[in-house]
Amino acid sequence: MPAYHRPDDLSEACTLLAAGPLSILAGGTDVYAGTTAQQLNRDILDVTGIAALRGIARDEAGWRIGGAVTWSELIAAGLPPAFDALKRAAREVGSEQIQNAGTIAGNLCNASPAADGVPALMVLDAEVALASAAGRRRLPLGAFLTGPRQTALAPGELVEAVHVPAASAAGASDFLKLGARRYLVISIAMVAVRLAVEEGRVAAAAIAVGACSPVARRFAALEAALVGEPATPALALRVTEAGVAPLLAPIDDVRGSAAYRAGAAAELIRRALARLTEGAR
Amino acid sequence: MSFDTPRAELSVNGARHAVEAPPSRRLSHVLREDCGLTGTKSGCDAGDCGACTVLIDGRPHCACLTPAARALGHEVTTVEGLTGPAHERLKQAFLRHGAAQCGICTPGMLVAAAALLARAPRATPAEAEAALSGVLCRCTGYRPIV
């Protein structure tokens, strides 16, 4: 029978990982959906019992979200409005059943181009904290995700937490997803936008688009164009399909053509900007 | 905690069940085959259909995506465990409104609805739609169920 380890201590987990090849299991929502077997026929490290991977905490440096925090726990957590996009994304992760099991780290390590959590974490400038028997390191989320279903996770490493710098927890954010139907759907396009407004003008803007490129991406050029502008719904006029397409380099697939995705992404960004600036005309 | 033996004791519907199964075995199959609780249905084994929905400490989970080991130390409630007065009213309402046709989704619907009504006894139709969105029905449509 394959081994099944469920340590509660991070260093014990790292020692186990260093000792031999183990498949890491978090919420199980992707692992079990990806097999027709009734049990997993390989040695497993279940990380959901590790104390260091649980809970959401804040210190002067910023926010720390444990890797094994579930989407339901995130939705229930008291977080500033900059995290609204992440909470909205959490509500889009499958059904309530999936949100009760699926974890932040699992969503990142599964590295689906359509991972709901990724654009919302990107607009928070999230960093991924990795732990192994050799030590710890941190990577920006955009560097951790290296391609579809590919990450920078090295053998023997696990995702301990996601960190959001205090400065990036400013402002308010929104998340919009386009799918073929309302519930339980793989996105055609999804957009997270965070705006920090000071004295009626955009002090900081962060825009990320997922499900359109091999890895979700930030739109630095568009963000820079918005900074300093009056924070009114007219901001949305700055976003055009022609402007978005080269930033996005969208894919063509069964869920939507590249041209459709560019148009959809531009419209979702416009709607998010309009919603975030509602009431300021 | 590591599992050196496949023997374990699960707490299901308030009763102890001694099971002998690999720790990573899907909880849905352990419930059906080792505990004899066949009310929990196995549908897609991928977390899409929700027919296997059970409560773990009162919260809905897809049992097909849950390793049996993770139920240790927690209280599992299956459709067979929905025996309280509110649960009886829920089941009578399903009968009255013709909410079951082929019946394979019905246990998942009942369990998901029970979780909703436990936290929001006067849930709105919109809340019911969201709470039941993780269980698929291909017969009656969702209106009689909601």
Side-chain angles (χ1 to χ4, degrees):
Chain A
M1 191 181 74
Y4 190 99
H5 304 281
R6 190 166 188 254
D8 49 25
D9 180 68
L10 179 61
S11 61
E12 187 189 342
C14 290
T15 305
L16 285 164
L17 268 181
L22 289 173
S23 294
I24 298 178
L25 179 70
T29 56
D30 286 308
V31 170
Y32 280 91
T35 175
T36 55
Q38 288 314 316
Q39 64 247 355
L40 305 175
N41 293 309
R42 51 194 192 271
D43 294 342
I44 297 294
L45 176 68
D46 180 337
V47 296
T48 57
I50 302 174
L53 271 63
R54 312 293 322 194
I56 298 174
R58 189 207 159 152
D59 63 18
E60 334 51 286
W63 293 83
R64 178 190 189 276
I65 304 172
V69 166
T70 66
W71 297 108
S72 295
E73 288 166 350
L74 189 111
I75 291 165
L79 291 165
F83 288 78
D84 285 356
L86 187 58
K87 289 196 174 195
R88 280 183 182 273
R91 290 192 180 87
E92 298 285 342
V93 178
S95 59
E96 187 183 344
Q97 287 90 322
I98 304 301
Q99 292 159 19
N100 283 337
T103 65
I104 311 288
N107 197 239
L108 301 184
C109 291
N110 189 52
S112 162
D116 291 299
V118 169
L121 285 168
M122 278 187 168
V123 298
L124 291 166
D125 301 316
E127 294 181 336
V128 184
L130 306 172
S132 72
R136 290 187 157 102
R137 62 180 179 135
R138 275 203 206 180
L139 290 175
L141 177 54
F144 176 75
L145 299 168
T146 54
R149 308 275 170 193
Q150 287 167 351
T151 70
L153 195 71
E157 271 187 326
L158 59 81
V159 172
E160 179 184 350
V162 171
H163 290 265
V164 174
S168 306
S173 68
D174 202 354
F175 173 84
L176 293 168
K177 166 168 163 172
L178 174 69
R181 60 172 191 266
R182 173 69 188 82
Y183 289 116
L184 312 181
V185 69
I186 297 172
S187 307
I188 299 165
M190 56 186 165
V191 159
V193 177
R194 181 173 61 85
L195 280 187
V197 177
E198 281 169 20
E199 293 172 3
R201 289 183 181 269
V202 176
I207 298 170
V209 179
C212 290
S213 324
V215 175
R217 45 176 88 184
R218 283 276 296 263
F219 283 8
L222 181 55
E223 293 167 7
L226 297 182
V227 170
E229 294 292 313
T232 69
L235 272 184
L237 301 175
R238 306 292 297 263
V239 183
T240 62
E241 187 175 332
V244 161
L247 299 175
L248 193 58
I251 56 166
D252 253 314
D253 76 0
V254 62
R255 281 183 280 278
S257 68
Y260 178 75
R261 278 192 158 93
E267 177 59 22
L268 292 178
I269 297 170
R270 285 193 290 265
R271 287 183 194 176
L273 287 170
R275 279 170 30 163
L276 287 167
T277 52
E278 248 171 32
R281 274 166 212 280
Chain B
M1 160 172 54
S2 286
F3 294 83
D4 302 321
T5 106
R7 272 180 247 280
E9 205 173 57
L10 296 183
S11 179
V12 187
N13 302 331
R16 311 292 294 175
H17 289 261
V19 299
E20 198 166 325
S24 71
R25 191 161 165 81
R26 297 177 195 261
L27 179 62
S28 50
H29 289 258
V30 171
L31 291 170
R32 289 177 59 81
E33 287 155 30
D34 299 79
C35 302
L37 295 167
T38 53
T40 301
K41 301 306 174 198
S42 284
C44 64
D45 273 353
D48 289 325
C49 77
C52 66
T53 299
V54 299
L55 304 182
I56 301 178
D57 295 339
R59 311 197 69 160
H61 285 258
C62 288
C64 74
L65 302 180
T66 307
R70 210 172 280 157
L72 295 181
H74 298 278
E75 178 58 34
V76 179
T77 307
T78 69
V79 68
E80 290 94 339
L82 301 182
T83 53
H87 300 143
E88 291 305 328
R89 285 198 296 279
L90 175 65
K91 287 186 259 187
Q92 288 303 318
F94 264 60
L95 285 173
R96 201 163 58 244
H97 293 280
Q101 188 172 321
C102 90
I104 192 153
C105 75
T106 309
M109 289 286 183
L110 286 169
V111 171
L116 169 70
L117 294 175
R119 67 165 189 261
R122 307 207 61 84
T124 64
E127 287 170 321
E129 278 180 24
L132 299 179
S133 68
V135 189
L136 303 185
C137 166
R138 299 287 83 141
C139 300
T140 68
Y142 299 95
R143 281 177 198 285
I145 298 172
V146 171

